[in-house]
Amino acid sequence: MVTEIFGLCTLNFSAAESVISITVTDCWASFAPYLANVVCCPQFDATLVIIIGQSSKYSGILALNRTHSKHCLSNVGKILVSQGANDNLQNICSFHLENLTKASCPVTDVDEFERIVDSSGLLAACGRIDPVNECCNEVCQIAILDAARKIALNGMSNTDGASISPDLSRRIDDCTNLVLRFLASRLDPSSANSVLRGLSNCNVNKVCPLVFPNMTDVVKECGSVISNQPSCCKSMESYVSQLQQQSFLTNLQALNYAASLGMRLQKAKISYDVYNLCHINLKDFSLQESGCLLPSSPSDATYDKTSGISFICDLNDNIAAPWPSKSYVPASSCNKTTKLPALPTATSSQSGHCTEDLMFTLLMIFSLVITMLL
């Protein structure tokens, strides 16, 4: 049950109660920093969009002023923390007060928004999306960008064929937030959450949250002519162990990170496939002890009193990290040539599951259950 905290915040939190519950689990106190990029922060962002969008049905306004933003963001944080979420989400997710305001967008009134934007067309494109096809065809994303551009240009002179200046680009970005809030006001919270998370998943795999540690020791021990394999592999294991303390990754993020690191090593004159030499696997880039890689479209975490927090892991088998070739193309769920090497056949203890949306063959799916002591 959502506890209403009013003060100077007039948002209707109860309208988004189900979404808030999802956010609490996805951003659970101890897991939020490790699930931030792939699950927690996209869900946190979606929740705030939905809360403002649902409240706009009564206020007629799609943004808060800075004072209200401060109080409302504080209230959201208190509600989430009271149910078990991390108490530092604003910092973990790099969320700023301006994210709740209109920023530089010139339109905040719902009626004015609908006079400028073809809202029926927008809802037709974004009322329901296929989370895989949308990332490739971008039907909803194009509709959102078109609506954001229209309201960003509102009131500007000489808008016909206007070039995209840095200022206009910033206005379009800011107006995109209002378009998302409008969508959230026209959909029920659950449907809005599915759409927003589907859109955010399109961007998740384009970035990797891992920070590259210093490669000096690896370059020294694994130079162009490897004379001491044990020493090279020891330095690689030490390097990878630093990555394993950072974050959970999706399978596509791991593929792209492995390729990016491999290309950096090649530029440092390491021409030999040290991944193969040192038996480096894709899951080695993800948070340990689990070695869990999340699906490219990560699902929400779940919670029950018996088993605690659970989430779906993908590719738990020892899939070798591919050494990049000169013709390397970043892995993408839209790229039909993206394949994973040497996938094992499912055994009786693992249920094989074919995910056509990932365009991979025979991925191993299992549920990683982590017991929480409450």
Side-chain angles (χ1 to χ4, degrees), residues 43-274:
Q43 180 59 37
F44 181 59
D45 290 346
T47 299
L48 291 166
V49 168
I50 291 168
I51 290 173
I52 296 179
Q54 290 291 310
S55 296
S56 73
K57 292 192 292 188
Y58 309 101
S59 68
I61 301 296
L62 292 166
L64 305 178
N65 63 36
R66 188 173 176 83
T67 299
H68 286 160
S69 294
K70 179 178 180 180
H71 290 280
C72 290
L73 188 57
S74 174
N75 284 4
V76 171
K78 289 175 182 177
I79 290 171
L80 292 172
V81 170
S82 71
Q83 298 182 41
N86 191 286
D87 62 1
N88 196 33
L89 291 182
Q90 191 173 341
N91 290 326
I92 290 173
C93 298
S94 301
F95 196 91
H96 306 289
L97 294 179
E98 289 75 13
N99 296 118
L100 301 180
T101 69
K102 68 174 186 177
S104 63
C105 189
V107 176
T108 61
D109 182 80
V110 172
D111 292 336
E112 185 179 5
F113 181 100
E114 293 195 274
R115 283 195 295 269
I116 299 170
V117 173
D118 175 12
S119 56
S120 61
L122 178 63
L123 287 169
C126 299
R128 178 180 296 179
I129 65 171
D130 182 301
V132 177
N133 291 335
E134 174 59 32
C135 293
C136 303
N137 301 332
E138 302 184 351
V139 173
C140 176
Q141 294 169 82
I142 291 171
I144 290 172
L145 181 61
D146 181 62
R149 181 182 173 86
K150 285 180 179 177
I151 59 177
L153 290 171
N154 187 57
M156 295 181 67
S157 59
N158 191 28
T159 57
D160 292 336
S163 61
I164 303 295
S165 66
D167 286 343
L168 178 56
S169 178
R170 190 177 306 112
R171 288 182 80 174
I172 293 173
D173 287 343
D174 292 337
C175 289
T176 297
N177 293 330
L178 273 73
V179 176
L180 294 176
R181 294 171 199 164
F182 176 81
L183 280 172
S185 74
R186 292 299 184 267
L187 302 173
D188 65 87
S190 178
S191 297
N193 196 62
S194 295
V195 169
L196 293 170
R197 287 294 301 279
L199 293 173
S200 67
N201 282 340
C202 294
N203 297 317
V204 161
N205 294 300
K206 296 178 182 178
V207 296
C208 182
L210 299 185
V211 176
F212 285 97
N214 188 291
M215 298 193 308
T216 302
D217 288 343
V218 175
V219 173
K220 176 183 177 183
E221 302 298 339
C222 304
S224 55
V225 178
I226 300 176
S227 58
N228 190 334
Q229 178 179 336
S231 180
C232 170
C233 290
K234 184 178 180 180
S235 67
M236 273 299 298
E237 290 169 4
S238 176
Y239 186 92
V240 170
S241 71
Q242 296 177 64
L243 303 177
Q244 294 170 350
Q245 301 171 34
Q246 294 187 34
S247 176
F248 283 108
L249 302 179
T250 68
N251 43 38
L252 290 180
Q253 285 178 326
L255 274 170
N256 287 327
Y257 187 90
S260 182
L261 175 59
M263 288 187 287
R264 287 182 178 224
L265 293 172
Q266 289 172 0
K267 287 181 180 179
K269 308 301 182 185
I270 298 176
S271 57
Y272 195 85
D273 182 354
V274 293

Side-chain angles (χ1 to χ4, degrees), residues 346-367:
T347 66
S348 58
S349 62
Q350 299 169 315
S351 58
H353 181 70
C354 182
T355 55
E356 294 179 354
D357 59 324
L358 300 182
M359 298 181 185
F360 297 145
T361 57
L362 196 59
L363 301 184
M364 302 301 157
I365 309 296
F366 78 106
S367 177

